[in-house]
Coordinates of all heavy atoms in Angstrom, one line a residue:
Chain A
R169 N -8.3 -19.7 -38.1 CA -9.5 -19.9 -37.4 C -10.2 -21.2 -37.7 O -10.8 -21.9 -36.9 CB -10.5 -18.7 -37.6 CG -11.7 -18.6 -36.7 CD -13.0 -19.1 -37.3 NE -14.1 -19.0 -36.3 CZ -14.3 -20.0 -35.4 NH1 -13.6 -21.0 -35.3 NH2 -15.3 -19.8 -34.6
A170 N -10.1 -21.6 -39.0 CA -10.7 -22.9 -39.4 C -9.9 -24.1 -39.0 O -10.3 -25.2 -39.3 CB -10.9 -22.8 -41.0
G171 N -8.8 -23.8 -38.4 CA -8.0 -25.0 -37.9 C -7.1 -25.6 -38.9 O -6.7 -26.8 -38.8
E172 N -6.7 -24.9 -40.0 CA -6.0 -25.5 -41.1 C -4.5 -25.6 -40.8 O -3.7 -26.1 -41.6 CB -6.3 -24.7 -42.4 CG -7.7 -24.9 -42.8 CD -8.0 -24.0 -44.0 OE1 -7.1 -23.6 -44.7 OE2 -9.2 -23.8 -44.3
F173 N -4.0 -24.9 -39.7 CA -2.6 -24.9 -39.5 C -2.2 -25.6 -38.1 O -3.0 -25.5 -37.2 CB -2.0 -23.5 -39.5 CG -2.3 -22.8 -40.8 CD1 -3.2 -21.7 -40.8 CD2 -1.7 -23.1 -42.0 CE1 -3.5 -21.0 -41.9 CE2 -2.0 -22.4 -43.1 CZ -2.9 -21.4 -43.1
P174 N -1.1 -26.1 -38.0 CA -0.6 -26.7 -36.7 C -0.2 -25.5 -35.8 O 0.0 -24.4 -36.2 CB 0.6 -27.5 -37.1 CG 1.1 -26.9 -38.3 CD 0.0 -26.3 -39.1
D175 N -0.1 -25.9 -34.5 CA 0.4 -24.9 -33.5 C 1.6 -24.2 -34.0 O 2.6 -24.9 -34.5 CB 0.7 -25.6 -32.2 CG -0.6 -26.0 -31.5 OD1 -1.7 -25.8 -32.1 OD2 -0.5 -26.5 -30.3
G176 N 1.7 -22.9 -33.8 CA 2.9 -22.2 -34.1 C 3.2 -21.8 -35.5 O 4.2 -21.1 -35.8
A177 N 2.3 -22.2 -36.4 CA 2.6 -22.0 -37.9 C 2.5 -20.5 -38.2 O 3.3 -19.9 -38.9 CB 1.6 -22.7 -38.7
H178 N 1.5 -19.8 -37.6 CA 1.3 -18.4 -37.8 C 0.9 -17.7 -36.5 O 0.3 -18.4 -35.7 CB 0.3 -18.1 -38.9 CG 0.4 -18.9 -40.2 ND1 1.3 -18.5 -41.1 CD2 -0.2 -20.0 -40.6 CE1 1.3 -19.3 -42.2 NE2 0.4 -20.3 -41.9
V179 N 1.1 -16.4 -36.5 CA 0.5 -15.6 -35.4 C -0.1 -14.3 -36.0 O 0.4 -13.9 -37.1 CB 1.4 -15.2 -34.3 CG1 1.8 -16.5 -33.5 CG2 2.6 -14.5 -34.8
L180 N -1.0 -13.7 -35.3 CA -1.5 -12.4 -35.7 C -0.7 -11.4 -34.9 O -0.7 -11.5 -33.7 CB -3.0 -12.3 -35.5 CG -3.6 -10.9 -35.9 CD1 -3.6 -10.7 -37.4 CD2 -5.0 -10.7 -35.3
R181 N -0.2 -10.4 -35.6 CA 0.6 -9.4 -34.8 C 0.1 -8.0 -35.2 O -0.4 -7.7 -36.3 CB 2.1 -9.4 -35.2 CG 2.8 -10.7 -34.8 CD 4.2 -10.7 -35.1 NE 5.0 -9.9 -34.2 CZ 6.3 -9.7 -34.3 NH1 7.0 -10.3 -35.3 NH2 7.0 -9.0 -33.5
A182 N 0.1 -7.1 -34.2 CA -0.2 -5.7 -34.4 C 0.9 -5.1 -35.2 O 2.1 -5.5 -35.0 CB -0.5 -5.0 -33.1
K183 N 0.6 -4.1 -36.0 CA 1.6 -3.4 -36.8 C 1.9 -2.1 -36.1 O 1.1 -1.1 -36.3 CB 1.1 -3.2 -38.2 CG 2.1 -3.2 -39.3 CD 1.5 -3.0 -40.6 CE 1.2 -4.2 -41.4 NZ 0.9 -3.9 -42.9
I184 N 2.9 -2.0 -35.3 CA 3.1 -0.8 -34.5 C 4.5 -0.2 -34.8 O 4.7 0.5 -35.8 CB 2.9 -1.0 -33.0 CG1 1.5 -1.5 -32.8 CG2 3.0 0.4 -32.3 CD1 1.1 -1.7 -31.3
D185 N 5.5 -0.7 -34.1 CA 6.9 -0.1 -34.3 C 7.9 -1.0 -33.7 O 8.1 -1.0 -32.5 CB 6.9 1.3 -33.6 CG 8.3 2.0 -33.8 OD1 9.1 1.4 -34.5 OD2 8.5 3.0 -33.1
M186 N 8.7 -1.6 -34.6 CA 9.7 -2.5 -34.1 C 10.9 -1.8 -33.5 O 11.8 -2.5 -32.9 CB 10.2 -3.4 -35.3 CG 9.2 -4.5 -35.7 SD 8.6 -5.5 -34.4 CE 10.0 -6.5 -34.0
A187 N 10.9 -0.5 -33.5 CA 12.0 0.2 -32.9 C 11.6 0.9 -31.6 O 12.4 1.6 -31.0 CB 12.6 1.3 -33.9
S188 N 10.4 0.7 -31.2 CA 9.9 1.4 -30.0 C 10.8 1.0 -28.8 O 11.2 -0.1 -28.6 CB 8.5 0.9 -29.7 OG 8.1 1.4 -28.5
P189 N 11.1 2.0 -28.0 CA 11.8 1.7 -26.8 C 11.0 0.9 -25.8 O 11.6 0.2 -24.9 CB 12.1 3.1 -26.2 CG 11.1 4.0 -26.8 CD 10.8 3.4 -28.2
N190 N 9.7 0.8 -26.0 CA 8.8 -0.1 -25.2 C 8.7 -1.4 -25.9 O 8.1 -1.5 -27.0 CB 7.5 0.6 -25.0 CG 6.5 -0.2 -24.2 OD1 6.8 -1.4 -24.0 ND2 5.5 0.4 -23.7
M191 N 9.3 -2.4 -25.3 CA 9.3 -3.7 -26.0 C 7.9 -4.2 -26.4 O 7.7 -4.9 -27.3 CB 9.9 -4.8 -25.1 CG 11.4 -4.5 -24.7 SD 12.5 -4.5 -26.1 CE 12.4 -6.2 -26.6
L192 N 6.9 -3.8 -25.5 CA 5.5 -4.3 -25.7 C 5.0 -3.7 -27.1 O 4.0 -4.3 -27.6 CB 4.7 -3.8 -24.6 CG 4.2 -4.7 -23.5 CD1 3.5 -5.9 -24.1 CD2 5.4 -5.2 -22.7
M193 N 5.5 -2.7 -27.6 CA 5.0 -2.0 -28.8 C 5.7 -2.5 -30.0 O 5.3 -2.1 -31.1 CB 5.1 -0.5 -28.7 CG 4.4 0.1 -27.5 SD 2.6 -0.1 -27.7 CE 2.1 1.4 -28.6
R194 N 6.6 -3.5 -29.9 CA 7.3 -4.0 -31.1 C 6.4 -5.1 -31.7 O 6.7 -6.3 -31.5 CB 8.7 -4.5 -30.7 CG 9.4 -3.6 -29.7 CD 10.7 -2.9 -30.1 NE 11.9 -3.7 -29.7 CZ 13.0 -3.1 -29.2 NH1 13.0 -1.8 -28.9 NH2 14.0 -3.8 -28.9
D195 N 5.4 -4.7 -32.4 CA 4.5 -5.6 -33.1 C 4.1 -6.7 -32.3 O 4.4 -7.9 -32.6 CB 5.1 -6.1 -34.4 CG 5.3 -5.0 -35.5 OD1 4.9 -3.8 -35.1 OD2 5.7 -5.3 -36.6
P196 N 3.4 -6.5 -31.2 CA 3.0 -7.5 -30.2 C 2.1 -8.6 -30.9 O 1.3 -8.3 -31.8 CB 2.3 -6.8 -29.1 CG 1.7 -5.6 -29.8 CD 2.8 -5.2 -30.8
V197 N 2.3 -9.8 -30.4 CA 1.5 -10.9 -30.9 C 0.1 -10.8 -30.3 O -0.1 -10.6 -29.1 CB 2.1 -12.3 -30.5 CG1 1.2 -13.4 -30.9 CG2 3.5 -12.4 -31.2
L198 N -1.0 -11.0 -31.1 CA -2.3 -10.8 -30.7 C -3.1 -12.1 -30.6 O -3.9 -12.3 -29.7 CB -3.1 -9.9 -31.7 CG -3.1 -8.4 -31.5 CD1 -2.0 -7.8 -30.5 CD2 -3.1 -7.7 -32.8
Y199 N -2.8 -13.0 -31.5 CA -3.4 -14.3 -31.6 C -2.4 -15.4 -31.8 O -1.5 -15.2 -32.6 CB -4.5 -14.4 -32.7 CG -5.9 -14.1 -32.3 CD1 -6.4 -12.8 -32.3 CD2 -6.7 -15.1 -31.8 CE1 -7.7 -12.5 -31.9 CE2 -8.0 -14.8 -31.4 CZ -8.5 -13.5 -31.5 OH -9.8 -13.2 -31.1
R200 N -2.6 -16.6 -31.2 CA -1.7 -17.7 -31.6 C -2.6 -18.9 -31.8 O -3.7 -19.0 -31.4 CB -0.7 -17.9 -30.5 CG -1.1 -18.7 -29.3 CD -2.0 -18.1 -28.3 NE -1.7 -18.6 -26.9 CZ -2.4 -18.2 -25.9 NH1 -3.4 -17.3 -26.0 NH2 -2.2 -18.6 -24.7
I201 N -2.0 -19.8 -32.6 CA -2.7 -21.1 -32.9 C -2.4 -22.1 -31.7 O -1.3 -22.2 -31.3 CB -2.2 -21.7 -34.2 CG1 -2.5 -20.7 -35.3 CG2 -2.9 -23.1 -34.4 CD1 -1.9 -21.2 -36.7
K202 N -3.5 -22.6 -31.2 CA -3.3 -23.6 -30.1 C -4.4 -24.6 -30.1 O -5.5 -24.3 -29.7 CB -3.3 -22.8 -28.7 CG -3.1 -23.6 -27.5 CD -1.9 -23.0 -26.7 CE -0.6 -23.2 -27.3 NZ 0.5 -22.8 -26.6
H203 N -4.1 -25.8 -30.6 CA -5.1 -26.8 -30.6 C -5.2 -27.5 -29.2 O -4.6 -28.5 -29.0 CB -4.7 -27.9 -31.7 CG -4.8 -27.3 -33.1 ND1 -5.9 -27.3 -33.8 CD2 -3.8 -26.7 -33.8 CE1 -5.7 -26.7 -35.0 NE2 -4.4 -26.4 -35.0
A204 N -5.9 -26.8 -28.4 CA -6.1 -27.3 -27.0 C -7.5 -27.1 -26.6 O -8.2 -26.2 -27.0 CB -5.1 -26.5 -26.1
E205 N -7.9 -28.0 -25.7 CA -9.3 -27.9 -25.2 C -9.4 -26.9 -24.1 O -8.6 -26.9 -23.2 CB -9.7 -29.3 -24.7 CG -11.2 -29.3 -24.3 CD -11.7 -30.7 -24.0 OE1 -11.2 -31.7 -24.7 OE2 -12.5 -30.9 -23.0
H206 N -10.4 -26.0 -24.3 CA -10.6 -25.0 -23.3 C -11.7 -25.5 -22.4 O -12.7 -26.1 -22.8 CB -11.1 -23.7 -24.1 CG -11.2 -22.5 -23.2 ND1 -12.3 -22.2 -22.5 CD2 -10.3 -21.5 -22.9 CE1 -12.2 -21.1 -21.8 NE2 -11.0 -20.6 -22.1

Side-chain angles (χ1 to χ4, degrees):
Chain A
R169 193 255 179 276
E172 292 174 17
F173 303 112
D175 287 6
H178 308 280
V179 291
L180 179 72
R181 296 180 76 178
K183 213 183 264 194
I184 306 181
D185 177 12
M186 288 306 289
S188 170
N190 182 344
M191 299 297 294
L192 257 304
M193 298 297 269
R194 320 246 262 226
D195 290 4
V197 175
L198 269 20
Y199 263 91
R200 82 286 211 183
I201 300 171
K202 181 128 289 182
H203 293 273
E205 182 170 325
H206 187 275

